[in-house]
């Protein structure tokens, strides 16, 4: 039954750009009220993340962010969601103007085939759309309606519920002036890890019996290793250290402040990996005998995401 299919569906998926999610909505779902409640709860969690300056664990597609902000979603937003579909529609617009005879061979009407993730059935964008040919005079209306359907109308109940949940916590006035990019930065942090920011805010603590020389040495080695990491490794480090894959957009959002605890050298000599307490953003690193061993142990900890002797 439709309800059974709906219950098996996730709330969100990434049909376009990997990692950027949009709601999943099953038309005629017998459990629609339950799913709407889940979407509203999700919107509430987004609002709480904004209020408490916390990172949100999902990255919404650009059109979802614009809908949450109450902004109009235009057909150019499709480029950030489904680049292939956007390029096809863009070519149709260009060819309708530059080569009308060639464009006529497309045989487009205002009836379209939905993508597989929406069921694949035919859909009329306007009443009697199958009988209305797409021409250079109405091509812009066609692409606008098609893009709006893909991004908004096909999942409007879910998007409405998300926004209702958000507005249960945050007033519309608080969202004024924010762009989709602003909201993404606040919710998901920066795409690149700012090592200088991390370095400025990190506190080193000495839990060895050695003097501060050893702590400074660990500190120098550590930042040398981090600076040379690939962007992917930096994200893995921050995730291992704080449980968040990115740094927040502002210093105020980086709470608790990251800490590196320098542990006794005997642990390092024995081969103990660095460990982390994500709830307090604390990374514990033994005093290793060389920077090469520290790098190997740190990267091993990031790749295995386990602790102990390796």
């Amino acid at each position: 039954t439709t309800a059974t299919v709906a219950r098996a569906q996730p709330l969100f998926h990434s049909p376009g750009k990997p990692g950027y999610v949009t709601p999943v909505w099953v038309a005629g779902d017998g459990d629609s009220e339950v799913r709407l409640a889940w979407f509203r709860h999700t919107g509430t969690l987004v609002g709480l993340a904004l209020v408490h300056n916390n990172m949100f664990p999902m990255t919404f597609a650009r059109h979802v962010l614009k809908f949450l902000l109450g902004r109009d979603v235009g057909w150019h937003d499709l480029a950030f969601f489904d680049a292939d579909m956007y390029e096809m529609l863009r070519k149709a617009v260009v060819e309708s103007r530059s080569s009308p005879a060639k464009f006529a061979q497309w045989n487009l009407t205002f009836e379209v085939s939905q993508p597989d993730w929406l069921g694949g059935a035919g859909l009329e964008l306007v009443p009697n759309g199958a009988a209305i040919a797409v021409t250079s005079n109405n091509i812009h209306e066609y692409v606008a309606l098609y893009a709006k359907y893909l991004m908004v109308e096909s999942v409007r109940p879910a998007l409405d519920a998300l926004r209702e949940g958000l507005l249960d916590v945050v007033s519309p006035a608080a969202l004024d002036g924010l762009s989709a990019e602003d909201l993404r930065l606040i919710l998901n942090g920066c795409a690149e890890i700012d090592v200088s920011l991390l370095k400025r805010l990190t506190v080193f603590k000495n839990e060895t019996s050695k003097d501060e020389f050893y702590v400074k040495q660990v500190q120098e080695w550590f930042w040398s290793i981090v600076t040379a990491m690939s962007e992917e490794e930096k994200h893995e480090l921050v995730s291992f250290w704080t449980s968040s894959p990115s740094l927040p957009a502002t210093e105020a959002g980086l709470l608790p402040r990251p800490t590196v605890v320098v542990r006794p050298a005997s642990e390092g000599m024995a081969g103990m990996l660095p460990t982390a307490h994500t709830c307090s953003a604390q990374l514990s690193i033994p005093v290793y005998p060389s920077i090469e061993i520290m790098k190997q142990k740190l990267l091993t900890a990031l790749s295995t995401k386990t602790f102990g002797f390796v």
Side-chain angles (χ1 to χ4, degrees), residues 212-270:
E212 289 301 311
F213 168 80
Y214 290 94
V215 176
K216 290 183 179 180
Q217 186 178 65
V218 169
Q219 190 171 348
E220 291 174 1
W221 288 356
F222 177 75
W223 292 122
S224 176
I225 293 167
V226 172
T227 302
M229 284 180 170
S230 66
E231 199 61 41
E232 181 180 358
E233 289 170 337
K234 291 174 186 174
H235 281 279
E236 289 177 351
L237 171 65
V238 172
S239 179
F240 180 79
W241 192 349
T242 69
S243 81
S244 175
S246 301
L247 291 178
T250 64
E251 290 187 18
L254 192 55
L255 292 173
R257 291 291 192 239
T259 303
V260 175
V261 175
V262 182
R263 303 288 296 168
S266 59
E267 296 181 2
M269 294 298 289

Side-chain angles (χ1 to χ4, degrees), residues 25-221:
W25 185 251
V26 181
D29 173 11
D31 284 348
S32 60
E33 292 304 315
V34 175
R35 289 182 70 83
L36 285 175
W38 290 341
F39 283 120
R40 186 163 185 159
H41 291 331
T42 303
T44 300
L45 292 175
V46 173
L48 290 171
L50 291 175
V51 169
H52 295 288
N53 209 10
N54 291 331
M55 305 277 277
F56 194 72
M58 287 191 299
T59 304
F60 291 118
R62 188 171 190 263
H63 66 275
V64 177
L65 295 173
K66 291 185 74 172
F67 192 94
L68 290 175
L69 292 170
R71 310 287 187 268
D72 290 333
V73 176
W75 87 273
H76 289 292
D77 293 312
L78 189 63
F80 299 89
F81 176 55
D82 189 334
D84 292 337
M85 179 63 73
Y86 174 81
E87 184 61 17
M88 186 195 76
L89 294 176
R90 188 194 66 80
K91 287 182 178 179
V93 172
V94 172
E95 201 159 280
S96 71
R97 302 288 185 178
S98 62
S99 182
K102 189 175 180 181
F103 174 71
Q105 297 176 9
W106 289 48
N107 295 318
L108 295 178
T109 69
F110 276 75
E111 181 182 42
V112 297
S113 295
Q114 300 182 72
D116 292 340
W117 54 274
L118 286 175
L123 172 80
E124 289 189 326
L125 297 174
V126 296
N128 199 31
I132 303 175
V134 178
T135 67
S136 59
N137 293 324
N138 61 20
I139 182 68
H140 287 94
E141 179 187 7
Y142 169 81
V143 298
L145 287 172
Y146 194 11
K148 190 71 171 287
Y149 175 77
L150 292 174
M151 293 183 287
V152 176
E153 299 305 331
S154 63
V155 292
R156 180 174 283 278
L159 290 174
D160 283 337
L162 275 172
R163 180 165 162 80
E164 288 170 4
L166 171 63
L167 297 183
D168 285 340
V169 182
V170 179
S171 70
L175 304 175
D176 288 346
L178 290 180
S179 67
E181 289 70 26
D182 294 331
L183 184 56
R184 174 170 294 134
L185 272 175
I186 296 171
L187 289 176
N188 305 122
C190 302
E192 296 184 356
I193 300 298
D194 185 348
V195 176
S196 62
L197 171 65
L198 194 59
K199 187 174 182 178
R200 186 167 67 251
L201 298 180
T202 298
V203 176
F204 279 74
K205 295 182 179 180
N206 184 5
E207 291 192 357
T208 73
S209 59
K210 305 290 185 179
D211 59 34
E212 289 301 311
F213 168 80
Y214 290 94
V215 176
K216 290 183 179 180
Q217 186 178 65
V218 169
Q219 190 171 348
E220 291 174 1
W221 288 356

